[in-house]
Amino acid sequence: MRGNDETVLAQTLDWLRQGRRVALLTVLGTYGASPRPPGALAAIRDDGMICGSVSGGCVEDDLRREIADGGVFGAGPAAWVRSFGVSVEERQRYRLPCGNSLRVAVETAPDPAQLAQLLEAVGAQRCLWRRVAFADGAARLTVDGPEGVFAEDADGFSVLHGPHWRLLIIGAAELGRYLAQIALTLDYAVTVCEPREEYRQDWRLAGAPLSAEMPDDLVLAFGCDERTAVVAVTHDPKLDDLALMEALRLPCHYVGALGSVTTTLKRKARLAEHFGLTPAQLDRLHGPVGLAIGSRTPAEIAVSIAADLIACRSVSRAGAAAMRQACA
């Protein structure tokens, strides 16, 4: 499963190779709430076909019409900036919430060879910065860049492209299937661990490979880092505990396990007594896993887990540092 930005880059490259003209859009900044962060991408073909989003739908129609009219191609600079919501009238017109505004960079001549190089690096789990100059739209790829994952100055902007967030799910039963499906839409690269043959037979979810290894062995082989989440949902302590005893020692940004409050307390006691986990390591366990939203069915529980993953990923200060470390 490709992340949204990688999908946009791949579609842009495909359209360019077909001989179409394409405008590549990048969110530069927002004031107030926004559904898309700085660095988010969208692409609009010369006939108005769009891939991705820069505002969740608020301003895309105007941009599509502007680009489909053809006036932006070959006229003026190869990179220019549009601002939306700078007045009350514009905020009402674009249905932007009160007080919000949006700035978008529009590149009218992205280099297909450069995009192919960038996609190759991302596919190989390597990081590259893409730096775009406002003056002439020239873009270059570099290994080094500023702090964080996005930066803008008077001369241009830089976006860091790199490895996906990864999710290792222990258990391929119904809950594991629902969680894998949702996580794929959230830009996670998903792997499912299921040593029980009876649960492996009907696995057909594209983009989420299934492993028959034992959970502890797979966790150790997985190369868990700050961009990795491990969630155990077999409800079988013989399997879940094997994954947890290793994952809680590693720098995963999220480790969770299915079970009630009582089950979680018993699990922590086992992990401390039999596997020597420290109180600090056990405190990292999300259990009961997921946000408390009153979920009962496997699908609802999967939603609650996915919501908790989003919340933890959003506030994780290790995310940007981990992404940069992966480039080293």
Side-chain angles (χ1 to χ4, degrees):
M1 177 66 179
R2 284 175 166 157
N4 180 74
D5 292 343
E6 187 183 351
T7 300
V8 172
L9 293 172
Q11 184 62 77
T12 300
L13 178 59
D14 185 51
W15 284 338
L16 291 171
R17 285 174 171 172
Q18 293 173 23
R20 307 301 296 259
R21 295 177 300 179
V22 184
L24 185 61
L25 282 54
T26 304
V27 175
L28 295 180
T30 61
Y31 178 77
S34 171
R36 303 290 284 145
L41 295 174
I44 301 180
R45 202 169 66 180
D46 49 21
D47 61 353
M49 183 75 71
I50 188 168
C51 176
S53 170
V54 293
S55 74
C58 298
V59 305
E60 276 82 352
D61 282 346
D62 265 31
L63 287 168
R64 287 176 62 239
R65 284 192 295 269
E66 201 167 337
I67 290 166
D69 286 343
V72 303
F73 295 106
W80 43 281
V81 177
R82 281 290 310 273
S83 297
F84 301 89
V86 294
S87 66
V88 174
E89 292 77 12
E90 281 195 354
R91 288 195 290 273
Q92 293 174 344
R93 175 186 174 190
Y94 296 117
R95 303 182 303 280
L96 292 169
C98 180
N100 290 4
S101 61
L102 172 70
R103 296 174 57 253
V104 178
V106 182
E107 298 174 64
T108 58
D111 180 1
Q114 185 184 88
L115 294 184
Q117 181 182 352
L118 179 58
L119 285 166
E120 181 181 0
V122 172
Q125 295 292 299
R126 293 185 289 112
C127 297
L128 283 179
W129 281 93
R130 185 169 183 267
R131 169 73 180 179
V132 180
F134 289 137
D136 56 5
R140 69 180 189 272
L141 302 178
T142 62
V143 173
D144 297 318
E147 292 296 324
V149 296
F150 174 85
E152 181 190 1
D153 54 40
D155 298 321
F157 64 93
S158 303
V159 182
L160 180 61
H161 299 272
H164 289 262
W165 293 87
R166 298 187 301 156
L167 172 61
L168 176 58
I169 300 172
I170 312 300
E174 191 175 17
L175 174 53
R177 292 170 189 255
Y178 281 123
L179 180 57
Q181 290 172 3
I182 297 172
L184 287 172
T185 70
L186 300 176
D187 295 347
Y188 276 95
V190 178
T191 299
V192 179
C193 173
E194 183 51 84
R196 301 169 298 182
E197 184 178 357
E198 62 271 24
Y199 290 104
R200 295 199 306 267
Q201 295 176 349
D202 297 326
W203 187 261
R204 296 290 186 272
L205 183 57
L210 188 67
S211 172
E213 288 191 65
M214 293 301 291
D216 52 341
D217 294 332
L218 185 55
V219 168
L220 290 175
F222 205 63
C224 295
D225 57 18
E226 291 88 346
R227 296 179 65 81
T228 305
V230 177
V231 178
V233 295
T234 70
H235 220 340
D236 181 346
K238 295 189 299 296
L239 297 176
D240 288 345
D241 287 3
L242 287 176
L244 299 174
M245 72 179 189
E246 301 297 350
L248 289 171
R249 304 179 200 270
L250 298 171
C252 306
H253 87 273
Y254 187 100
V255 179
L258 185 66
S260 65
V261 173
T262 300
T263 298
T264 300
L265 291 174
K266 292 180 178 179
R267 172 179 285 122
K268 287 184 175 182
R270 287 196 306 272
L271 291 171
E273 179 180 358
H274 300 295
F275 302 111
L277 268 69
T278 67
Q281 291 169 335
L282 293 171
D283 283 344
R284 298 179 54 231
L285 177 62
H286 291 257
V289 71
L291 296 182
I293 59 174
S295 53
R296 292 292 182 269
T297 69
E300 291 172 346
I301 296 171
V303 169
S304 75
I305 297 172
D308 204 16
L309 286 170
I310 293 170
C312 291
R313 188 171 72 175
S314 297
V315 301
S316 173
R317 296 186 177 182
M323 193 170 184
R324 293 177 60 83
Q325 185 178 4
C327 301

